[in-house]
Amino acid sequence: MANETHAVDAAAAVAGHAAEAAEKGGMPQLDFSTFPNQIFWLTVTLVVIYWLLTRIALPRIASVLADRQGTISGDLAAAEEYKLKAKDAEAAYAKALSDARAQAQKIIAETRSEIQKELDAATAKADAEIAERLAQSEESIAEIRAGALEAVQSVAAETAAEIVVALGGKADKAALSTAVDARVKG
Amino acid sequence: MAEEAGTGLVFHPMEPFKIHSLFGGEVHWYTPTNATLWMFIGILAISLLFIVGTRGRAIVPSRVQSVAELAYGFVHKMVEDVAGKDGLKYFPYIFTLFLFIVFANFLGLIPMAFTPTSHIAVTGLMAMAVFISVTVLGFMKNGAGFLGLFWVSSAPLALRPLLAVIEVISYFVRPVSHSIRLAGNMMAGHAVMEVFAAFAPLILFSAIGIAVTPLSVLAIVAMYALEMLVAFVQAYVFTILTCVYLKDALHPGH
């Protein structure tokens, strides 16, 4: 050990370290007797750290990061899909709305034309009835008028016969009625 | 020990960097030391964060799991951005280095703790490991084409030999700067805090302490905050340089 220390001192002196005079032993960094020890334990430490990282830590972190990336992109894709679905649903809704509106218009038009038809039919029926009644009334008026004319003729013929008799004439029935007819018709 | 006469102040800024056996006796290559202890505490902390913390495998992560995922994503993206898609094959190695350094740096900030990354033996081994594997990889992937790294084809022909010499030198200096940058930063910050800490009890010995003690306490707080930043930045720098070297090995064209 003593020899080693001397060797170290010599080496440090060769290195020309100024502080050595002040500090006994000089810089511990230049104490070459500790180098094998440090190199050995550093190698052990680095191998252990490397082993722990490559066996456990790095695969784990890499897989977590990959999973997270997958989850995020999966979620984004799902969101995109939902967005498309929402758009589709909106389009479907708008279509249904316009369909319903068209249907309603159609129903309104149909109903209106039906009512119109019924109304027309009813009007036509009523018109026909009115016409029929009018015809009937005219017929009966004509009858009444014919009846009245007949009555007038007979009354006039009778009256004329009475007048002819009263005047002392002889009432020729046929001549009388011809004359009255001619007169009444005027 | 350097003692200031009359004040009783004790300066030993190199004390926290000393390596000693945990159970007494000499330090052989297999002896468990304080370095061993703090490396193993680092393993424990990494296991807590990356194994216990992620055991839920939750799609929506817990707080600890999201920290683990954040660290994973941070280094993974760094490797991919700097070294390219084919560099991702070496991501576990780079992540191992990053986690060891960042945990050693931060655990070393605990008072009385030992910082393995403040030792050139530790950072040197890591830098040499990176240097050798990257060089071997470069020749394996590109054969002699890897030497194109030193032949700056965009420069004027006359300058190229000179540039090649410079490139070769800078290539071989890489592991030196790579390791000393980390160890130096760790050591310097901790040593400065030690010095300030040594000034802190001055109020017990001298009237000047009324001014010096609060200042040194403030300085320790400020240094501590700076060291938190340095702890992360140095781990980041070491890792991103590893990625850059890896990129050079995989795609040696300039």
Side-chain angles (χ1 to χ4, degrees), chain A residues 78-166:
Chain A
E80 195 60 36
E81 202 174 301
Y82 285 135
K83 205 172 148 191
L84 285 179
K85 270 188 191 164
K87 219 171 242 176
D88 284 357
E90 202 190 331
Y93 166 76
K95 193 171 172 292
L97 198 66
S98 71
D99 279 2
R101 226 169 241 155
Q103 190 74 21
Q105 292 292 346
K106 209 172 126 197
I107 289 171
I108 288 169
E110 261 171 27
T111 314
R112 189 174 280 159
S113 73
E114 236 163 65
I115 289 171
Q116 194 60 47
K117 221 181 266 168
E118 271 171 29
L119 200 63
D120 286 353
T123 313
K125 206 176 149 200
D127 282 355
E129 231 164 74
I130 289 165
E132 198 184 335
R133 286 221 190 130
L134 213 59
Q136 271 176 6
S137 308
E138 261 165 22
E139 207 169 291
S140 61
I141 287 167
E143 243 168 56
I144 290 166
R145 186 177 283 163
L149 264 182
E150 230 163 80
V152 165
Q153 261 173 352
S154 70
V155 168
E158 270 170 32
T159 310
E162 288 297 320
I163 290 166
V164 167
V165 172

Side-chain angles (χ1 to χ4, degrees), chain A residues 10-24:
Chain A
V14 168
H17 184 50
E20 203 197 352
E23 283 277 340
K24 82 168 175 197

Side-chain angles (χ1 to χ4, degrees), chain B residues 12-87:
Chain B
H12 36 75
M14 289 299 146
E15 196 64 22
F17 304 114
K18 285 233 170 80
I19 288 179
H20 51 78
S21 172
L22 281 181
F23 310 108
E26 288 179 32
V27 175
H28 299 290
W29 63 268
Y30 52 82
T31 319
T33 59
N34 50 346
T36 317
L37 175 70
W38 283 96
M39 286 179 192
F40 279 25
I41 291 175
I43 295 177
L44 194 71
I46 292 170
S47 309
L48 278 178
L49 177 56
F50 283 90
I51 294 172
V52 180
T54 59
R55 75 191 181 288
R57 298 161 190 264
I59 294 290
V60 178
S62 63
R63 288 178 203 185
V64 181
Q65 189 187 324
S66 64
V67 171
E69 284 172 10
L70 214 63
Y72 177 99
F74 175 70
V75 179
H76 197 269
K77 190 170 181 308
M78 194 200 300
V79 175
E80 194 178 350
D81 287 353
V82 177
K85 275 248 184 285
D86 42 352

Side-chain angles (χ1 to χ4, degrees), chain A residues 27 29 37-38 41 60 68, chain B residues 28 31 51 59 69 118:
Chain A
M27 282 173 73
Q29 279 85 348
N37 180 276
Q38 293 193 65
W41 287 112
R60 192 185 283 175
R68 183 173 308 148
Chain B
H28 299 290
T31 319
I51 294 172
I59 294 290
E69 284 172 10
S118 68

Side-chain angles (χ1 to χ4, degrees), chain A residues 36-76:
Chain A
N37 180 276
Q38 293 193 65
I39 288 168
F40 169 67
W41 287 112
L42 173 65
T43 312
V44 170
T45 303
L46 289 179
V47 168
V48 170
I49 294 174
Y50 178 78
W51 190 84
L52 288 176
L53 286 181
T54 49
R55 286 300 144 104
I56 307 172
L58 297 186
R60 192 185 283 175
I61 293 174
S63 81
V64 166
L65 291 180
D67 280 0
R68 183 173 308 148
Q69 201 51 49
T71 308
I72 289 171
S73 51
D75 284 359
L76 282 180

